[in-house]
Amino acid sequence: MKYIRECFIIFGLTLAGEFLNKLLPLPVPAGVYGLFLLLVLLCVGILKLEQVEATGNFLLDIMPVMFVPASVGLLESMGDLQAILVPVVVISMVSTVIVMAVTGIVAEKMLGGKK
């Protein structure tokens, strides 16, 4: 019963995020609204971590399984991707390095940086 209640809380906040996505004219995904609502409720103390922790941990544990359909889809469209494989790999590598560098710089500035 505990897991069902926790699922209702998490999915309810996700549904509220969907409603906010329809109401607000901002280019923000509905999932981000739901996560922000969860963060606010946890920070304010309306929702306790124990009320969603077990189901949240379960969802984190099964997250890799959720990438299987996307991977299979990529494998099925490999014929179409072969023509543009090199540019896609280069763009992916360059953008990953840029994201890592920017994240590192921002983290250093937030933590005070090295003198």
Side-chain angles (χ1 to χ4, degrees):
M1 195 65 174
K2 173 184 176 184
Y3 293 107
I4 294 172
R5 182 176 47 241
E6 290 183 13
C7 280
F8 273 121
I9 292 170
I10 292 172
F11 294 146
L13 289 171
T14 303
L15 182 63
E18 291 287 341
F19 287 133
L20 282 175
N21 189 27
K22 298 294 180 196
L23 288 175
L24 300 174
L26 301 172
V28 177
V32 173
Y33 283 127
L35 287 173
F36 185 70
L37 286 173
L38 179 63
L39 175 67
V40 168
L41 292 176
L42 286 169
C43 287
V44 171
I46 296 172
L47 188 64
K48 303 289 183 226
L49 181 60
E50 297 82 32
Q51 293 175 299
V52 292
E53 186 173 22
T55 300
N57 286 336
F58 170 73
L59 292 172
L60 284 174
D61 289 342
I62 66 166
M63 190 185 329
V65 176
M66 302 303 170
F67 289 101
V68 171
S71 301
V72 171
L74 279 174
L75 289 175
E76 286 182 354
S77 61
M78 188 55 107
D80 298 333
L81 283 175
Q82 283 180 341
I84 59 168
L85 189 60
V86 173
V88 167
V89 169
V90 170
I91 290 170
S92 297
M93 292 173 64
V94 169
S95 63
T96 299
V97 169
I98 291 171
V99 167
M100 289 171 62
V102 169
T103 303
I105 291 168
V106 169
E108 275 187 5
K109 290 194 184 287
M110 288 179 67
L111 295 174
K114 295 179 181 177
K115 300 284 180 186

